[in-house]
Amino acid sequence: MKIIGDLFGQVMFLCYELTHNYGITIILFTFITKIILLPISILVQKNSIKMVKMYPEMNRIKVKYLGNKDLASEEEYSLYKRENYHPMLDLIPVILQLVILMGVVDGIRKLNIPDTFFLGLNLNVIPIKNGGISIIIPILAAFSSWLMCFTQNKANVLQSEQSKANKIITLSLSVSLSLYLGLFVSGGVGFYWVVSNLMSIILMYLLNYFINPKNYIDYIDLEKSKKELEELNYFHAQSKAKRSPELISLEKKDYKRFNQFENKQIVFYSEGNGFYKYFKDVIEIMLKKTDIVIHYVTSDPRDEVFHLQNDYFKVYYIGENKLIVLMMKMDADIVVMTMPDLQKYHIKRSMVRNDIEYIYMDHGIGSINLMLRKHALDYFDTIFATNDISYAEIRKQEEIYGLRHKTVLKYGFSLIDNMIKSYNEQPVHINNPRVILIAPSWQKDNLLDLCIDEILEALLGHGYQIILRPHPQYVRHFENKLEVLKNKYVLNNDFILQTDFSSNDTVFNADILITDWSGIAYEYSFTTLKPSLFINTPMKIMNPDYQEIDVTPFDIEIRNRIGISVELDQLDTLPDIISRLLLEDTYSTEALKEMRNKYLYNISSSAEVGAKYLIGRLIEMSKS
């Protein structure tokens, strides 16, 4: 710091030689430092703009991963990396300002100038010691800090987006420190601080003029994303508030009950109500054929499985926070789950047993390489694969990334088995007119958001009954959009908007299904043996590096095997394509049955295969 103080003292002396006025010397010195630091100020301005530009996406990451801070942090880090944003860059001006300030204190102390008066103030005295009129300097220092914070809160690209609480804290600290600084250092240092703050305000407005944030930031989208996050935070807070003492008590009781049960053989974990359907058939076969006690952990206190528990099927409610500890202390032979990313985020492998077999049972038949995050299954021991493509993806991942060899069971998908059974039990249904079911996903850029009007305009008036069945989550989040759509086509007798999901009859009875990248197409075509029509909206990709694995993802390969895919600029051809799907042998019942047998393991018997494996492994473990 001595070197910096000596340097600053020499620069100030040169300024004094030019001006022969102590106050103007400090003004000139401050101006020189601002000019020297201008490139850094420009860099920070651009970095701040980059940060605020990312805010809409960051807000939506918080919406998407509400309650999962680890996953949200990883997504934000990936966003920073993609946008080349450097969080620490904004600290550079603060650090430099402190270094300069300490250098100014030392430089002014060493500056030997006979006349230290400026505008009637002696800038060489310390106000707290000298008192009198010199006390105006710390007051001006505090006021200049307040003015700088006030203008930054209004005009600084980053500071203006901070929360009200952060703004108040920053302002309070800045004013307090400035007042304290002004009292206990010489008046020259306090005067420098006043001039520096005022020049910083001018510089901020100049930067905003020449590098205008409005040219880079979508403030409309920013406000929209803020409202989305505020709404979700409100409902989340309401949800937490509704977590009654009874629920807290239930979780504590179930946590204790789970840990008191010794020698657990198998545990199934369900993320919430509705996931039981993926385990149902396997569990029922195990209960029927063995006396194994099955432990079922759910993070939903209203899960339907609580009505099914008995002496051999024990159900526990464990919320997400308590779940972390429960999983770390897991003591069982086998754990089965549909949740990927084991060991990567909040759900870890057991710390008390290293011989537990963790089994991943997928809740869909799509590509695990495309539709799951990279390395999502690395820490599982066994994978219940649904088809040859999934099997090949797992083996290829092991080869490419040098992963340990997992057990991959050629399992299938019992949910589709059940749908096939239910469908075959129905009487044959012939539609007149033909029924076209539109069932979009609710991911970003889905059919409803991108092109539903174009689809309806292309199809209505061609003798079809058109049923639009949005995803339940879309109905939940975008009720107003659907109401507008309903009112637009309310007078057209060939159009029905269906938001009652209590029955699968609409899905089973439709002649053709239209979707984007929704997995409903596989369930529909493999169950009914009727074709699907795919609209090529932007593809949902969870793993941007999926092409590192030289296996064509199931979701891409299957589109033109069980139907036809259409580009967004070809929607006017939909009537002709539907005619092809209804008439050509390529999409006949027999052709689609052949595709089903090719692309799905163990049709109608997957549950038996899965249960047999689990029972066999538990017997092996009991003998070892």
Side-chain angles (χ1 to χ4, degrees):
M1 193 54 63
K2 181 179 181 301
I3 297 172
I4 296 174
D6 291 342
L7 176 62
F8 282 8
Q10 291 175 13
V11 174
M12 286 183 190
F13 184 77
L14 291 173
C15 291
Y16 183 77
E17 288 291 298
L18 289 172
T19 63
H20 297 288
N21 183 291
Y22 193 32
I24 297 176
T25 292
I26 292 174
I27 294 172
L28 180 59
F29 171 80
T30 309
F31 181 75
I32 291 170
T33 61
K34 296 295 181 186
I35 294 295
I36 292 172
L37 295 177
L38 183 59
I40 292 176
S41 299
I42 292 172
L43 191 62
V44 169
Q45 173 81 352
K46 291 180 177 178
N47 201 58
S48 298
I49 289 173
K50 196 177 290 183
M51 179 61 175
V52 178
K53 185 180 177 182
M54 292 189 296
Y55 271 3
E57 194 166 348
M58 289 175 66
N59 288 338
R60 288 180 178 117
I61 287 172
K62 291 173 183 174
V63 167
K64 184 176 180 181
Y65 298 113
L66 185 69
N68 192 333
K69 291 183 179 178
D70 289 339
L71 193 51
S73 296
E74 179 155 320
E75 289 287 314
E76 285 183 4
Y77 174 75
S78 299
L79 178 60
Y80 290 168
K81 193 174 179 182
R82 189 187 79 204
E83 298 294 332
N84 293 315
Y85 172 73
H86 306 285
M88 303 303 292
L89 195 60
D90 293 323
L91 294 177
I92 292 177
V94 178
I95 296 169
L96 288 175
Q97 189 73 280
L98 290 174
V99 171
I100 292 171
L101 180 61
M102 288 186 283
V104 167
V105 171
D106 196 43
I108 285 179
R109 182 174 57 82
K110 294 175 179 178
L111 191 61
N112 187 16
I113 295 175
D115 183 9
T116 58
F117 280 84
F118 182 68
L119 299 178
L121 295 170
N122 187 352
L123 300 183
N124 200 36
V125 299
I126 297 175
I128 194 70
K129 292 181 179 179
N130 195 64
I133 195 171
S134 65
I135 207 74
I136 197 171
I137 294 175
I139 294 173
L140 288 173
F143 175 76
S144 69
S145 288
W146 174 86
L147 185 62
M148 185 175 72
C149 287
F150 178 79
T151 54
Q152 282 181 332
N153 289 341
K154 298 290 184 182
N156 180 272
V157 61
L158 190 56
Q159 185 66 23
S160 62
E161 296 301 327
Q162 300 302 306
S163 67
K164 188 175 181 180
N166 282 343
K167 290 177 181 178
I168 292 172
I169 291 170
T170 302
L171 187 146
S172 302
L173 284 173
S174 182
V175 171
S176 302
L177 288 172
S178 297
L179 183 62
Y180 181 84
L181 176 75
L183 285 168
F184 289 94
V185 296
S186 70
V189 177
F191 183 65
Y192 159 78
W193 194 246
V194 172
V195 175
S196 178
N197 285 338
L198 295 177
M199 285 188 180
S200 293
I201 294 170
I202 295 170
L203 179 60
M204 176 185 66
Y205 282 105
L206 286 173
L207 287 172
N208 278 354
Y209 178 78
F210 289 105
I211 311 173
N212 192 337
K214 293 180 180 178
N215 294 335
Y216 304 92
I217 298 167
D218 186 346
Y219 280 100
I220 295 175
D221 192 43
L222 176 59
E223 289 304 310
K224 183 180 176 183
S225 71
K226 282 182 187 176
K227 288 182 180 178
E228 291 172 11
L229 183 58
E230 285 170 5
E231 287 176 6
L232 192 63
N233 280 331
Y234 171 77
F235 287 117
H236 183 61
Q238 293 289 98
S239 176
K240 287 180 73 176
K242 289 177 183 177
R243 197 166 179 263
S244 63
E246 289 78 12
L247 269 186
I248 295 171
S249 174
L250 173 63
E251 182 182 52
K252 287 182 178 178
K253 184 182 73 174
D254 280 4
Y255 180 82
K256 184 177 180 181
R257 184 164 58 92
F258 180 85
N259 286 316
Q260 284 177 339
F261 200 105
E262 297 181 354
N263 302 316
K264 290 184 286 290
Q265 291 181 281
I266 187 165
V267 175
F268 287 81
Y269 170 63
S270 167
E271 299 163 56
N273 189 30
F275 282 81
Y276 179 67
K277 61 188 177 185
Y278 303 115
F279 305 124
K280 174 180 177 291
D281 295 317
V282 170
I283 288 174
E284 288 182 354
I285 291 172
M286 292 182 69
L287 291 173
K288 184 177 180 180
K289 293 187 175 182
T290 73
D291 59 358
I292 294 170
V293 176
I294 294 174
H295 301 269
Y296 192 95
V297 176
T298 174
S299 292
D300 188 342
R302 291 168 291 276
D303 200 311
E304 61 186 17
V305 294
F306 281 101
H307 302 295
L308 305 175
Q309 61 183 329
N310 55 54
D311 290 343
Y312 293 95
F313 183 61
K314 298 186 177 297
V315 184
Y316 312 84
Y317 162 61
I318 307 294
E320 289 188 5
N321 291 332
K322 204 78 170 174
L323 179 69
I324 296 171
V325 180
L326 180 134
M327 286 295 187
M328 290 173 68
K329 294 183 177 180
M330 179 62 68
D331 183 9
D333 295 327
I334 291 176
V335 175
V336 185
M337 53 204 294
T338 61
M339 178 186 283
D341 297 307
L342 177 67
Q343 197 68 16
K344 291 187 68 179
Y345 301 112
H346 61 300
I347 303 299
K348 310 291 185 183
R349 288 181 67 107
S350 173
M351 295 182 68
V352 301
R353 282 187 62 174
N354 59 12
D355 62 341
I356 297 176
E357 181 175 347
Y358 285 86
I359 298 176
Y360 177 74
M361 184 183 290
D362 209 339
H363 54 267
I365 59 176
S367 163
I368 62 167
N369 185 46
L370 178 72
M371 303 308 290
L372 298 181
R373 282 175 287 273
K374 190 175 183 179
H375 300 302
L377 305 183
D378 286 4
Y379 288 92
F380 284 93
D381 303 291
T382 302
I383 312 295
F384 278 23
T386 58
N387 56 71
D388 278 337
I389 294 178
S390 293
Y391 187 100
E393 286 176 332
I394 295 163
R395 293 301 184 219
K396 202 69 177 179
Q397 286 178 344
E398 292 170 346
E399 176 189 338
I400 297 293
Y401 301 126
L403 304 173
R404 63 189 176 88
H405 199 75
K406 302 176 188 65
T407 298
V408 183
L409 179 70
K410 294 183 177 181
Y411 166 64
F413 197 54
S414 64
L415 184 64
I416 285 185
D417 291 346
N418 282 329
M419 292 179 72
I420 292 170
K421 182 180 178 183
S422 298
Y423 180 73
N424 290 338
E425 289 172 352
Q426 286 193 336
V428 176
H429 188 91
I430 300 174
N431 294 315
N432 187 20
R434 297 280 197 165
V435 174
I436 310 299
L437 174 64
I438 304 174
S441 65
W442 78 290
Q443 70 185 54
K444 182 182 178 183
D445 297 326
N446 61 74
L447 294 185
L448 279 166
D449 290 339
L450 283 186
C451 56
I452 189 60
D453 285 316
E454 291 86 342
I455 292 173
L456 293 175
E457 288 167 10
L459 294 178
L460 290 172
H462 286 268
Y464 301 124
Q465 178 75 61
I466 310 297
I467 300 176
L468 174 61
R469 183 181 167 106
H471 192 284
Q473 291 291 347
Y474 196 95
V475 175
R476 177 185 170 192
H477 290 282
F478 302 107
E479 187 177 353
N480 290 339
K481 283 186 181 181
L482 293 174
E483 189 63 28
V484 171
L485 189 68
K486 181 180 178 181
N487 291 335
K488 186 174 182 178
Y489 295 97
V490 68
L491 298 178
N492 197 313
N493 294 327
D494 295 334
F495 174 75
I496 298 172
L497 175 62
Q498 185 182 77
T499 54
D500 179 2
F501 307 105
S502 59
S503 170
N504 279 328
D505 287 351
T506 302
V507 179
F508 284 161
N509 294 332
D511 294 291
I512 284 178
L513 179 133
I514 298 178
T515 189
D516 36 44
W517 291 91
S518 171
I520 193 174
Y522 322 138
E523 296 172 8
Y524 168 79
S525 288
F526 285 162
T527 297
T528 67
L529 301 179
K530 298 173 187 175
S532 293
L533 193 159
F534 301 92
I535 309 297
N536 288 336
T537 58
M539 183 169 61
K540 180 181 179 182
I541 300 174
M542 292 299 293
N543 174 20
D545 299 324
Y546 76 94
Q547 291 178 321
E548 291 178 356
I549 303 300
D550 187 22
V551 177
T552 302
F554 177 88
D555 310 69
I556 295 174
E557 179 167 324
I558 201 69
R559 289 169 84 78
N560 290 313
R561 303 287 181 134
I562 60 172
I564 297 175
S565 58
V566 181
E567 300 300 329
L568 286 169
D569 59 358
Q570 298 175 338
L571 297 179
D572 58 333
T573 66
L574 289 181
D576 294 333
I577 292 171
I578 287 174
S579 295
R580 285 181 57 196
L581 291 171
L582 291 172
L583 298 173
E584 290 183 10
D585 291 341
T586 307
Y587 311 105
S588 67
T589 299
E590 287 304 314
L592 290 173
K593 186 174 184 179
E594 186 179 335
M595 287 295 108
R596 183 175 73 183
N597 293 337
K598 176 181 178 181
Y599 284 101
L600 205 59
Y601 290 140
N602 304 310
I603 304 295
S604 301
S605 62
S606 61
E608 287 84 353
V609 173
K612 182 180 179 182
Y613 174 83
L614 293 174
I615 294 168
R617 287 293 294 133
L618 291 172
I619 292 172
E620 287 177 24
M621 291 175 176
S622 66
K623 291 178 180 178
S624 61

